[in-house]
Amino acid sequence: MGIDRREFLKIVGASAVFALGGMTIVDAIMNDNAEAAQYTPEPGALVAKQWAMVIDVRKFKTEEDYKRVINACNSIHNIPDFGESKDEVKWIWTDTFEHAFPEQQEPELMQESLKELPFLLLCNHCKNPPCVRVCPTKATFKRSDGIVMQDMHRCIGCRFCMAACPYGSRSFNWKDPRPHIKNENPDYPTRTKGVVEKCTFCVERLAKGLMPACVEASNGAILFGDITDPNSEVRKALSSNYAIRRKPELGTGPNIYYIIGGGSDNA
Amino acid sequence: MYNGGKILLGLFIFLAVVTFPFYNNVGKANVAPKPSIDTPAIQKLADKKCIESTAFMKAEHMQLLNQWRDSAVRDNSRVYVASDGKKYIISLQNTCMKCHSNKKEFCDSCHNYAGVNPYCWDCHLAPKEGK
């Protein structure tokens, strides 16, 4: 006599359990590739606890000096030139002392030469960045080395960060930037319409062990280093010179310092 | 049945129009694309294989690219250690596309077939292809 109903159900149940168990093993083998993979930082990458920049404004003499630094950044990061200030995308730019340091106006005490100087401005990579706090998608975030980064893949273009930034360091892409880039750098992406962008302290260059482009182009007028390391170039420069920061009273902890006096050529 | 002829004619026309896509494509099965891997950079490789097995790349390249971007942009880990131990710099433009410099024949052939339009190329620059 053949198997009865009870026997049949037992066999079906047992084989179902066996088949499901088998599938997980097959799955585990199939997906092995993805799990074996690992991600590591580049071996020659520059590391710091808190990156900071020191701009020695005394070393910028001519218009050319500013242009060279700004062009170095613009050309490698595919920054478009729309030709109109309302659409402008800026990572590093210049403005007057009066606009850059509105709280530090002491006209009687200030050197005449300083008043007329344009100041190089860029993202301050704040210690306590308001843009990060307000970003609803976490597209703007702070890395462990203090760089305030913008994840273009996550930016939804809400521009809360632009409203929060007290330095005007962020730009919105109102138009497709591609047609407005003179010479595309094939090694760096462009941006798309509808995202916010800003200076990133050249994270892609730091990962390769290179200094930021503006630092390299400045011929020593801009220093870059770890502000938490007492032996770093930036700390040495700051200990012997008088430096100011933009709007420190707001508590954002800007990490761009401007040397305006002191040191050897103290006026 | 009043106006039976007209109704039947109407029904016939309706069915003919609705089923048009079906009988129009009978016997014209769409040929699956064959992405070309014939580029100068790949020809130069001694061992012509991608960073992971072909089957894995076919099925999972989008997940891998997602992991890559999170790793590079958010964790600052820009080196991918493949399952065979080889290391690759994480970059769509500078690693993937340096080998697969024929975007039209490689990426687009499948993407067009499957009807997917990844927006990678809104920002990342595709390699300049010789015309």
Side-chain angles (χ1 to χ4, degrees), chain A residues 33 37-40 42 138 141 143 151 153-154 178 184-192 207, chain B residues 53 67-69 71 73-74 76-81 83 89-90 93-94 121-125:
Chain A
N33 277 339
Q38 284 176 8
Y39 296 88
T40 55
E42 284 189 64
K138 298 274 172 286
F141 61 100
R143 304 199 321 176
D151 186 346
H153 306 101
R154 281 179 84 149
R178 285 263 172 93
E184 279 177 353
N185 172 15
D187 297 332
Y188 197 82
T190 65
R191 265 72 59 197
T192 180
Chain B
S53 70
Q67 286 176 14
W68 272 32
R69 90 170 181 205
S71 171
V73 177
R74 301 198 80 90
N76 197 27
S77 291
R78 289 168 186 263
V79 174
Y80 174 75
V81 186
S83 49
I89 304 286
I90 291 175
Q93 254 170 252
N94 300 326
W121 313 109
D122 289 357
C123 292
H124 291 276
L125 293 165

mmCIF file of all heavy atoms in Angstrom, chain A residues 33 37-40 42 138 141 143 151 153-154 178 184-192 207, chain B residues 53 67-69 71 73-74 76-81 83 89-90 93-94 121-125:
data_model
loop_
_atom_site.group_PDB
_atom_site.id
_atom_site.type_symbol
_atom_site.label_atom_id
_atom_site.label_comp_id
_atom_site.label_asym_id
_atom_site.label_seq_id
_atom_site.Cartn_x
_atom_site.Cartn_y
_atom_site.Cartn_z
ATOM 1 N N ASN A 33 30.754 37.602 -2.686
ATOM 2 C CA ASN A 33 31.554 38.673 -3.283
ATOM 3 C C ASN A 33 31.354 40.008 -2.591
ATOM 4 O O ASN A 33 32.294 40.691 -2.235
ATOM 5 C CB ASN A 33 31.160 38.852 -4.755
ATOM 6 C CG ASN A 33 31.878 37.843 -5.627
ATOM 7 O OD1 ASN A 33 32.901 37.312 -5.213
ATOM 8 N ND2 ASN A 33 31.340 37.584 -6.793
ATOM 9 N N ALA A 37 34.151 42.255 0.128
ATOM 10 C CA ALA A 37 34.755 43.525 -0.250
ATOM 11 C C ALA A 37 34.934 44.437 0.953
ATOM 12 O O ALA A 37 34.170 44.393 1.901
ATOM 13 C CB ALA A 37 33.881 44.215 -1.275
ATOM 14 N N GLN A 38 35.982 45.240 0.899
ATOM 15 C CA GLN A 38 36.242 46.166 1.981
ATOM 16 C C GLN A 38 36.575 47.536 1.423
ATOM 17 O O GLN A 38 36.978 47.664 0.288
ATOM 18 C CB GLN A 38 37.426 45.682 2.804
ATOM 19 C CG GLN A 38 37.070 44.538 3.713
ATOM 20 C CD GLN A 38 38.258 44.009 4.443
ATOM 21 O OE1 GLN A 38 39.339 44.602 4.376
ATOM 22 N NE2 GLN A 38 38.080 42.914 5.124
ATOM 23 N N TYR A 39 36.401 48.517 2.270
ATOM 24 C CA TYR A 39 36.705 49.876 1.864
ATOM 25 C C TYR A 39 37.757 50.444 2.797
ATOM 26 O O TYR A 39 37.646 50.307 4.006
ATOM 27 C CB TYR A 39 35.438 50.723 1.909
ATOM 28 C CG TYR A 39 34.392 50.272 0.938
ATOM 29 C CD1 TYR A 39 33.464 49.306 1.296
ATOM 30 C CD2 TYR A 39 34.356 50.775 -0.354
ATOM 31 C CE1 TYR A 39 32.514 48.866 0.395
ATOM 32 C CE2 TYR A 39 33.414 50.346 -1.257
ATOM 33 C CZ TYR A 39 32.490 49.389 -0.887
ATOM 34 O OH TYR A 39 31.554 48.957 -1.778
ATOM 35 N N THR A 40 38.778 51.049 2.226
ATOM 36 C CA THR A 40 39.829 51.632 3.064
ATOM 37 C C THR A 40 40.180 53.015 2.522
ATOM 38 O O THR A 40 39.957 53.302 1.357
ATOM 39 C CB THR A 40 41.113 50.778 3.051
ATOM 40 O OG1 THR A 40 41.516 50.606 1.690
ATOM 41 C CG2 THR A 40 40.913 49.438 3.705
ATOM 42 N N GLU A 42 42.711 55.977 1.163
ATOM 43 C CA GLU A 42 43.911 55.888 0.328
ATOM 44 C C GLU A 42 45.141 55.960 1.217
ATOM 45 O O GLU A 42 45.169 56.712 2.196
ATOM 46 C CB GLU A 42 43.915 57.027 -0.699
ATOM 47 C CG GLU A 42 42.957 56.751 -1.835
ATOM 48 C CD GLU A 42 43.097 57.738 -2.979
ATOM 49 O OE1 GLU A 42 44.179 57.751 -3.587
ATOM 50 O OE2 GLU A 42 42.144 58.470 -3.251
ATOM 51 N N LYS A 138 20.577 65.498 5.547
ATOM 52 C CA LYS A 138 21.956 65.183 5.924
ATOM 53 C C LYS A 138 22.878 65.177 4.701
ATOM 54 O O LYS A 138 23.862 64.440 4.656
ATOM 55 C CB LYS A 138 22.065 63.846 6.656
ATOM 56 C CG LYS A 138 21.305 63.806 7.962
ATOM 57 C CD LYS A 138 22.143 64.356 9.097
ATOM 58 C CE LYS A 138 21.338 64.520 10.379
ATOM 59 N NZ LYS A 138 20.409 65.658 10.338
ATOM 60 N N PHE A 141 27.178 67.570 5.814
ATOM 61 C CA PHE A 141 27.586 66.904 7.052
ATOM 62 C C PHE A 141 29.026 67.267 7.355
ATOM 63 O O PHE A 141 29.741 67.797 6.508
ATOM 64 C CB PHE A 141 27.424 65.388 6.931
ATOM 65 C CG PHE A 141 28.272 64.770 5.840
ATOM 66 C CD1 PHE A 141 29.460 64.133 6.154
ATOM 67 C CD2 PHE A 141 27.894 64.837 4.519
ATOM 68 C CE1 PHE A 141 30.246 63.569 5.149
ATOM 69 C CE2 PHE A 141 28.669 64.281 3.519
ATOM 70 C CZ PHE A 141 29.849 63.648 3.830
ATOM 71 N N ARG A 143 32.712 65.998 8.464
ATOM 72 C CA ARG A 143 33.549 64.798 8.540
ATOM 73 C C ARG A 143 34.368 64.819 9.823
ATOM 74 O O ARG A 143 34.492 65.837 10.490
ATOM 75 C CB ARG A 143 34.512 64.746 7.346
ATOM 76 C CG ARG A 143 33.803 64.811 6.021
ATOM 77 C CD ARG A 143 34.660 64.306 4.899
ATOM 78 N NE ARG A 143 36.060 64.677 4.984
ATOM 79 C CZ ARG A 143 36.989 64.266 4.121
ATOM 80 N NH1 ARG A 143 36.649 63.480 3.129
ATOM 81 N NH2 ARG A 143 38.239 64.641 4.238
ATOM 82 N N ASP A 151 27.109 66.339 0.146
ATOM 83 C CA ASP A 151 26.866 65.134 -0.639
ATOM 84 C C ASP A 151 25.846 65.481 -1.723
ATOM 85 O O ASP A 151 24.658 65.585 -1.460
ATOM 86 C CB ASP A 151 26.338 64.015 0.273
ATOM 87 C CG ASP A 151 26.196 62.696 -0.456
ATOM 88 O OD1 ASP A 151 26.242 62.691 -1.702
ATOM 89 O OD2 ASP A 151 26.036 61.660 0.222
ATOM 90 N N HIS A 153 24.672 63.808 -4.031
ATOM 91 C CA HIS A 153 23.685 62.782 -4.341
ATOM 92 C C HIS A 153 22.446 62.919 -3.462
ATOM 93 O O HIS A 153 21.386 62.427 -3.799
ATOM 94 C CB HIS A 153 24.278 61.389 -4.133
ATOM 95 C CG HIS A 153 25.550 61.160 -4.894
ATOM 96 N ND1 HIS A 153 26.785 61.228 -4.301
ATOM 97 C CD2 HIS A 153 25.778 60.892 -6.184
ATOM 98 C CE1 HIS A 153 27.710 60.993 -5.208
ATOM 99 N NE2 HIS A 153 27.130 60.781 -6.354
ATOM 100 N N ARG A 154 22.620 63.559 -2.317
ATOM 101 C CA ARG A 154 21.495 63.647 -1.388
ATOM 102 C C ARG A 154 20.852 65.013 -1.332
ATOM 103 O O ARG A 154 19.783 65.160 -0.744
ATOM 104 C CB ARG A 154 21.980 63.283 0.023
ATOM 105 C CG ARG A 154 22.107 61.797 0.192
ATOM 106 C CD ARG A 154 22.612 61.482 1.552
ATOM 107 N NE ARG A 154 21.539 61.440 2.522
ATOM 108 C CZ ARG A 154 21.543 60.669 3.590
ATOM 109 N NH1 ARG A 154 22.558 59.895 3.821
ATOM 110 N NH2 ARG A 154 20.558 60.680 4.435
ATOM 111 N N ARG A 178 26.658 72.864 -17.035
ATOM 112 C CA ARG A 178 27.493 72.306 -18.108
ATOM 113 C C ARG A 178 27.819 73.289 -19.242
ATOM 114 O O ARG A 178 28.981 73.443 -19.579
ATOM 115 C CB ARG A 178 26.836 71.058 -18.720
ATOM 116 C CG ARG A 178 26.931 69.827 -17.850
ATOM 117 C CD ARG A 178 28.099 68.953 -18.253
ATOM 118 N NE ARG A 178 28.271 67.880 -17.284
ATOM 119 C CZ ARG A 178 27.732 66.672 -17.398
ATOM 120 N NH1 ARG A 178 27.025 66.365 -18.463
ATOM 121 N NH2 ARG A 178 27.909 65.775 -16.460
ATOM 122 N N GLU A 184 36.082 71.809 -19.326
ATOM 123 C CA GLU A 184 35.710 70.805 -18.340
ATOM 124 C C GLU A 184 36.938 70.022 -17.901
ATOM 125 O O GLU A 184 37.728 69.596 -18.733
ATOM 126 C CB GLU A 184 34.689 69.838 -18.941
ATOM 127 C CG GLU A 184 33.279 70.380 -18.934
ATOM 128 C CD GLU A 184 32.303 69.439 -19.603
ATOM 129 O OE1 GLU A 184 32.738 68.433 -20.179
ATOM 130 O OE2 GLU A 184 31.104 69.734 -19.558
ATOM 131 N N ASN A 185 37.077 69.854 -16.592
ATOM 132 C CA ASN A 185 38.122 68.982 -16.067
ATOM 133 C C ASN A 185 37.543 67.570 -16.025
ATOM 134 O O ASN A 185 36.638 67.302 -15.240
ATOM 135 C CB ASN A 185 38.533 69.451 -14.668
ATOM 136 C CG ASN A 185 39.477 68.480 -13.993
ATOM 137 O OD1 ASN A 185 40.052 67.610 -14.649
ATOM 138 N ND2 ASN A 185 39.650 68.622 -12.698
ATOM 139 N N PRO A 186 38.056 66.666 -16.869
ATOM 140 C CA PRO A 186 37.435 65.332 -16.954
ATOM 141 C C PRO A 186 37.586 64.506 -15.686
ATOM 142 O O PRO A 186 36.922 63.486 -15.534
ATOM 143 C CB PRO A 186 38.170 64.672 -18.131
ATOM 144 C CG PRO A 186 39.452 65.400 -18.245
ATOM 145 C CD PRO A 186 39.202 66.797 -17.769
ATOM 146 N N ASP A 187 38.438 64.947 -14.740
ATOM 147 C CA ASP A 187 38.658 64.159 -13.529
ATOM 148 C C ASP A 187 37.698 64.501 -12.404
ATOM 149 O O ASP A 187 37.693 63.855 -11.361
ATOM 150 C CB ASP A 187 40.096 64.352 -13.021
ATOM 151 C CG ASP A 187 41.099 63.850 -14.019
ATOM 152 O OD1 ASP A 187 40.741 62.931 -14.776
ATOM 153 O OD2 ASP A 187 42.219 64.377 -14.067
ATOM 154 N N TYR A 188 36.917 65.577 -12.562
ATOM 155 C CA TYR A 188 36.032 66.012 -11.477
ATOM 156 C C TYR A 188 34.626 66.177 -12.043
ATOM 157 O O TYR A 188 34.463 66.646 -13.154
ATOM 158 C CB TYR A 188 36.544 67.333 -10.889
ATOM 159 C CG TYR A 188 35.970 67.649 -9.532
ATOM 160 C CD1 TYR A 188 36.523 67.080 -8.394
ATOM 161 C CD2 TYR A 188 34.881 68.497 -9.397
ATOM 162 C CE1 TYR A 188 35.989 67.349 -7.146
ATOM 163 C CE2 TYR A 188 34.347 68.768 -8.152
ATOM 164 C CZ TYR A 188 34.909 68.187 -7.027
ATOM 165 O OH TYR A 188 34.373 68.444 -5.787
ATOM 166 N N PRO A 189 33.606 65.762 -11.267
ATOM 167 C CA PRO A 189 32.246 65.908 -11.789
ATOM 168 C C PRO A 189 31.799 67.362 -11.863
ATOM 169 O O PRO A 189 32.375 68.225 -11.185
ATOM 170 C CB PRO A 189 31.392 65.139 -10.776
ATOM 171 C CG PRO A 189 32.287 64.662 -9.718
ATOM 172 C CD PRO A 189 33.651 65.166 -9.941
ATOM 173 N N THR A 190 30.778 67.600 -12.646
ATOM 174 C CA THR A 190 30.128 68.909 -12.598
ATOM 175 C C THR A 190 28.987 68.764 -11.602
ATOM 176 O O THR A 190 28.880 67.743 -10.941
ATOM 177 C CB THR A 190 29.569 69.289 -13.974
ATOM 178 O OG1 THR A 190 28.548 68.381 -14.315
ATOM 179 C CG2 THR A 190 30.661 69.265 -15.028
ATOM 180 N N ARG A 191 28.168 69.779 -11.487
ATOM 181 C CA ARG A 191 26.976 69.638 -10.655
ATOM 182 C C ARG A 191 25.767 69.676 -11.567
ATOM 183 O O ARG A 191 25.888 69.942 -12.760
ATOM 184 C CB ARG A 191 26.889 70.773 -9.619
ATOM 185 C CG ARG A 191 27.470 70.413 -8.282
ATOM 186 C CD ARG A 191 28.982 70.322 -8.288
ATOM 187 N NE ARG A 191 29.608 71.560 -8.680
ATOM 188 C CZ ARG A 191 30.861 71.640 -9.064
ATOM 189 N NH1 ARG A 191 31.625 70.590 -9.123
ATOM 190 N NH2 ARG A 191 31.374 72.801 -9.423
ATOM 191 N N THR A 192 24.617 69.431 -11.010
ATOM 192 C CA THR A 192 23.403 69.475 -11.801
ATOM 193 C C THR A 192 22.531 70.631 -11.322
ATOM 194 O O THR A 192 22.780 71.222 -10.277
ATOM 195 C CB THR A 192 22.652 68.137 -11.687
ATOM 196 O OG1 THR A 192 21.466 68.219 -12.471
ATOM 197 C CG2 THR A 192 22.283 67.816 -10.259
ATOM 198 N N ALA A 207 42.779 63.449 -0.245
ATOM 199 C CA ALA A 207 42.776 61.985 -0.271
ATOM 200 C C ALA A 207 43.983 61.450 -1.029
ATOM 201 O O ALA A 207 44.426 60.336 -0.790
ATOM 202 C CB ALA A 207 41.484 61.480 -0.916
ATOM 203 N N SER B 53 33.239 39.407 -10.379
ATOM 204 C CA SER B 53 32.834 38.484 -11.441
ATOM 205 C C SER B 53 31.769 39.130 -12.332
ATOM 206 O O SER B 53 31.015 40.006 -11.893
ATOM 207 C CB SER B 53 32.281 37.213 -10.825
ATOM 208 O OG SER B 53 31.044 37.490 -10.210
ATOM 209 N N GLN B 67 27.268 51.784 -2.880
ATOM 210 C CA GLN B 67 28.213 51.604 -1.777
ATOM 211 C C GLN B 67 29.448 52.451 -1.994
ATOM 212 O O GLN B 67 29.981 53.052 -1.067
ATOM 213 C CB GLN B 67 28.631 50.139 -1.672
ATOM 214 C CG GLN B 67 27.569 49.230 -1.103
ATOM 215 C CD GLN B 67 28.026 47.772 -1.126
ATOM 216 O OE1 GLN B 67 29.197 47.489 -1.328
ATOM 217 N NE2 GLN B 67 27.100 46.862 -0.934
ATOM 218 N N TRP B 68 29.894 52.498 -3.231
ATOM 219 C CA TRP B 68 31.099 53.276 -3.564
ATOM 220 C C TRP B 68 30.912 54.739 -3.210
ATOM 221 O O TRP B 68 31.755 55.376 -2.614
ATOM 222 C CB TRP B 68 31.406 53.150 -5.063
ATOM 223 C CG TRP B 68 32.252 51.978 -5.393
ATOM 224 C CD1 TRP B 68 32.255 50.789 -4.737
ATOM 225 C CD2 TRP B 68 33.206 51.879 -6.440
ATOM 226 N NE1 TRP B 68 33.156 49.954 -5.334
ATOM 227 C CE2 TRP B 68 33.755 50.592 -6.379
ATOM 228 C CE3 TRP B 68 33.639 52.750 -7.443
ATOM 229 C CZ2 TRP B 68 34.726 50.152 -7.263
ATOM 230 C CZ3 TRP B 68 34.594 52.323 -8.337
ATOM 231 C CH2 TRP B 68 35.143 51.034 -8.238
ATOM 232 N N ARG B 69 29.769 55.276 -3.611
ATOM 233 C CA ARG B 69 29.577 56.713 -3.386
ATOM 234 C C ARG B 69 29.457 57.017 -1.897
ATOM 235 O O ARG B 69 29.993 58.013 -1.424
ATOM 236 C CB ARG B 69 28.377 57.233 -4.178
ATOM 237 C CG ARG B 69 27.081 57.172 -3.433
ATOM 238 C CD ARG B 69 25.990 57.895 -4.149
ATOM 239 N NE ARG B 69 24.787 57.813 -3.344
ATOM 240 C CZ ARG B 69 23.582 57.897 -3.842
ATOM 241 N NH1 ARG B 69 23.388 58.055 -5.119
ATOM 242 N NH2 ARG B 69 22.539 57.834 -3.049
ATOM 243 N N SER B 71 30.827 55.286 0.496
ATOM 244 C CA SER B 71 32.139 55.083 1.080
ATOM 245 C C SER B 71 33.061 56.275 0.802
ATOM 246 O O SER B 71 33.724 56.789 1.691
ATOM 247 C CB SER B 71 32.748 53.804 0.510
ATOM 248 O OG SER B 71 34.073 53.688 0.899
ATOM 249 N N VAL B 73 32.260 59.462 -0.476
ATOM 250 C CA VAL B 73 31.788 60.799 -0.117
ATOM 251 C C VAL B 73 31.588 60.932 1.391
ATOM 252 O O VAL B 73 31.981 61.916 1.995
ATOM 253 C CB VAL B 73 30.480 61.147 -0.862
ATOM 254 C CG1 VAL B 73 29.954 62.496 -0.426
ATOM 255 C CG2 VAL B 73 30.700 61.127 -2.355
ATOM 256 N N ARG B 74 31.003 59.922 2.013
ATOM 257 C CA ARG B 74 30.614 60.092 3.406
ATOM 258 C C ARG B 74 31.620 59.538 4.406
ATOM 259 O O ARG B 74 31.768 60.067 5.497
ATOM 260 C CB ARG B 74 29.224 59.478 3.642
ATOM 261 C CG ARG B 74 28.178 60.124 2.742
ATOM 262 C CD ARG B 74 26.782 59.882 3.218
ATOM 263 N NE ARG B 74 26.393 60.764 4.312
ATOM 264 C CZ ARG B 74 25.819 61.948 4.141
ATOM 265 N NH1 ARG B 74 25.568 62.395 2.950
ATOM 266 N NH2 ARG B 74 25.496 62.686 5.182
ATOM 267 N N ASN B 76 34.925 58.817 3.474
ATOM 268 C CA ASN B 76 36.269 59.151 3.020
ATOM 269 C C ASN B 76 37.148 57.905 2.853
ATOM 270 O O ASN B 76 38.348 57.964 3.041
ATOM 271 C CB ASN B 76 36.934 60.145 3.976
ATOM 272 C CG ASN B 76 38.138 60.810 3.340
ATOM 273 O OD1 ASN B 76 38.197 60.926 2.118
ATOM 274 N ND2 ASN B 76 39.090 61.227 4.145
ATOM 275 N N SER B 77 36.530 56.768 2.548
ATOM 276 C CA SER B 77 37.314 55.575 2.228
ATOM 277 C C SER B 77 37.265 55.399 0.723
ATOM 278 O O SER B 77 36.260 54.975 0.182
ATOM 279 C CB SER B 77 36.727 54.343 2.903
ATOM 280 O OG SER B 77 36.930 54.443 4.281
ATOM 281 N N ARG B 78 38.346 55.770 0.075
ATOM 282 C CA ARG B 78 38.308 55.854 -1.374
ATOM 283 C C ARG B 78 39.009 54.704 -2.081
ATOM 284 O O ARG B 78 39.303 54.790 -3.264
ATOM 285 C CB ARG B 78 38.928 57.182 -1.836
ATOM 286 C CG ARG B 78 38.034 58.347 -1.510
ATOM 287 C CD ARG B 78 38.735 59.662 -1.683
ATOM 288 N NE ARG B 78 37.896 60.737 -1.227
ATOM 289 C CZ ARG B 78 37.137 61.477 -2.044
ATOM 290 N NH1 ARG B 78 37.152 61.273 -3.313
ATOM 291 N NH2 ARG B 78 36.382 62.436 -1.540
ATOM 292 N N VAL B 79 39.329 53.650 -1.342
ATOM 293 C CA VAL B 79 39.935 52.485 -1.981
ATOM 294 C C VAL B 79 39.018 51.293 -1.758
ATOM 295 O O VAL B 79 38.589 51.021 -0.641
ATOM 296 C CB VAL B 79 41.342 52.204 -1.415
ATOM 297 C CG1 VAL B 79 41.881 50.905 -1.978
ATOM 298 C CG2 VAL B 79 42.279 53.343 -1.749
ATOM 299 N N TYR B 80 38.710 50.583 -2.855
ATOM 300 C CA TYR B 80 37.860 49.402 -2.787
ATOM 301 C C TYR B 80 38.751 48.180 -2.901
ATOM 302 O O TYR B 80 39.529 48.067 -3.846
ATOM 303 C CB TYR B 80 36.859 49.445 -3.937
ATOM 304 C CG TYR B 80 36.003 48.209 -4.067
ATOM 305 C CD1 TYR B 80 34.966 47.969 -3.179
ATOM 306 C CD2 TYR B 80 36.216 47.291 -5.092
ATOM 307 C CE1 TYR B 80 34.171 46.847 -3.297
ATOM 308 C CE2 TYR B 80 35.425 46.168 -5.217
ATOM 309 C CZ TYR B 80 34.399 45.949 -4.318
ATOM 310 O OH TYR B 80 33.623 44.835 -4.444
ATOM 311 N N VAL B 81 38.656 47.295 -1.911
ATOM 312 C CA VAL B 81 39.407 46.053 -1.975
ATOM 313 C C VAL B 81 38.469 44.990 -2.511
ATOM 314 O O VAL B 81 37.506 44.611 -1.852
ATOM 315 C CB VAL B 81 39.944 45.651 -0.590
ATOM 316 C CG1 VAL B 81 40.843 44.432 -0.710
ATOM 317 C CG2 VAL B 81 40.697 46.813 0.043
ATOM 318 N N SER B 83 37.103 41.273 -4.091
ATOM 319 C CA SER B 83 37.131 39.970 -3.422
ATOM 320 C C SER B 83 38.387 39.186 -3.772
ATOM 321 O O SER B 83 38.755 38.256 -3.063
ATOM 322 C CB SER B 83 35.885 39.162 -3.774
ATOM 323 O OG SER B 83 35.700 39.165 -5.167
ATOM 324 N N ILE B 89 40.784 52.509 -6.879
ATOM 325 C CA ILE B 89 40.355 53.821 -6.403
ATOM 326 C C ILE B 89 38.882 53.986 -6.754
ATOM 327 O O ILE B 89 38.480 53.717 -7.883
ATOM 328 C CB ILE B 89 41.159 54.951 -7.086
ATOM 329 C CG1 ILE B 89 42.653 54.760 -6.867
ATOM 330 C CG2 ILE B 89 40.684 56.311 -6.617
ATOM 331 C CD1 ILE B 89 43.144 55.073 -5.493
ATOM 332 N N ILE B 90 38.092 54.394 -5.769
ATOM 333 C CA ILE B 90 36.667 54.530 -5.993
ATOM 334 C C ILE B 90 36.375 55.790 -6.783
ATOM 335 O O ILE B 90 36.565 56.896 -6.279
ATOM 336 C CB ILE B 90 35.918 54.571 -4.645
ATOM 337 C CG1 ILE B 90 36.010 53.207 -3.981
ATOM 338 C CG2 ILE B 90 34.489 55.004 -4.826
ATOM 339 C CD1 ILE B 90 35.411 53.152 -2.616
ATOM 340 N N GLN B 93 34.015 58.225 -12.648
ATOM 341 C CA GLN B 93 34.622 58.864 -13.809
ATOM 342 C C GLN B 93 36.035 58.368 -14.075
ATOM 343 O O GLN B 93 36.428 58.182 -15.211
ATOM 344 C CB GLN B 93 34.714 60.377 -13.543
ATOM 345 C CG GLN B 93 33.729 61.196 -14.308
ATOM 346 C CD GLN B 93 33.737 62.615 -13.809
ATOM 347 O OE1 GLN B 93 32.819 63.054 -13.150
ATOM 348 N NE2 GLN B 93 34.779 63.352 -14.115
ATOM 349 N N ASN B 94 36.806 58.195 -12.994
ATOM 350 C CA ASN B 94 38.234 57.949 -13.188
ATOM 351 C C ASN B 94 38.635 56.485 -13.099
ATOM 352 O O ASN B 94 39.746 56.137 -13.466
ATOM 353 C CB ASN B 94 39.040 58.748 -12.166
ATOM 354 C CG ASN B 94 38.778 60.225 -12.302
ATOM 355 O OD1 ASN B 94 38.567 60.712 -13.405
ATOM 356 N ND2 ASN B 94 38.754 60.941 -11.197
ATOM 357 N N TRP B 121 24.894 60.733 -15.100
ATOM 358 C CA TRP B 121 25.592 61.570 -16.090
ATOM 359 C C TRP B 121 25.141 63.004 -16.050
ATOM 360 O O TRP B 121 25.618 63.821 -16.826
ATOM 361 C CB TRP B 121 25.434 60.946 -17.478
ATOM 362 C CG TRP B 121 25.734 59.493 -17.413
ATOM 363 C CD1 TRP B 121 24.845 58.471 -17.515
ATOM 364 C CD2 TRP B 121 27.014 58.894 -17.125
ATOM 365 N NE1 TRP B 121 25.489 57.281 -17.311
ATOM 366 C CE2 TRP B 121 26.802 57.509 -17.078
ATOM 367 C CE3 TRP B 121 28.296 59.406 -16.907
ATOM 368 C CZ2 TRP B 121 27.840 56.611 -16.810
ATOM 369 C CZ3 TRP B 121 29.315 58.517 -16.642
ATOM 370 C CH2 TRP B 121 29.080 57.141 -16.601
ATOM 371 N N ASP B 122 24.191 63.341 -15.167
ATOM 372 C CA ASP B 122 23.854 64.747 -14.988
ATOM 373 C C ASP B 122 25.044 65.484 -14.385
ATOM 374 O O ASP B 122 25.226 66.674 -14.613
ATOM 375 C CB ASP B 122 22.651 64.904 -14.044
ATOM 376 C CG ASP B 122 21.364 64.448 -14.696
ATOM 377 O OD1 ASP B 122 21.419 64.075 -15.878
ATOM 378 O OD2 ASP B 122 20.315 64.473 -14.024
ATOM 379 N N CYS B 123 25.824 64.774 -13.565
ATOM 380 C CA CYS B 123 26.976 65.397 -12.923
ATOM 381 C C CYS B 123 28.282 64.775 -13.398
ATOM 382 O O CYS B 123 29.199 65.472 -13.799
ATOM 383 C CB CYS B 123 26.891 65.254 -11.408
ATOM 384 S SG CYS B 123 25.561 66.200 -10.666
ATOM 385 N N HIS B 124 28.361 63.456 -13.340
ATOM 386 C CA HIS B 124 29.619 62.811 -13.731
ATOM 387 C C HIS B 124 29.803 62.922 -15.231
ATOM 388 O O HIS B 124 28.854 62.767 -15.995
ATOM 389 C CB HIS B 124 29.612 61.345 -13.293
ATOM 390 C CG HIS B 124 29.670 61.187 -11.809
ATOM 391 N ND1 HIS B 124 30.855 61.211 -11.116
ATOM 392 C CD2 HIS B 124 28.700 61.059 -10.882
ATOM 393 C CE1 HIS B 124 30.599 61.076 -9.823
ATOM 394 N NE2 HIS B 124 29.298 60.997 -9.651
ATOM 395 N N LEU B 125 31.047 63.193 -15.614
ATOM 396 C CA LEU B 125 31.327 63.402 -17.026
ATOM 397 C C LEU B 125 31.616 62.064 -17.693
ATOM 398 O O LEU B 125 32.482 61.317 -17.243
ATOM 399 C CB LEU B 125 32.525 64.338 -17.184
ATOM 400 C CG LEU B 125 32.274 65.767 -16.713
ATOM 401 C CD1 LEU B 125 33.587 66.510 -16.573
ATOM 402 C CD2 LEU B 125 31.368 66.498 -17.672
#
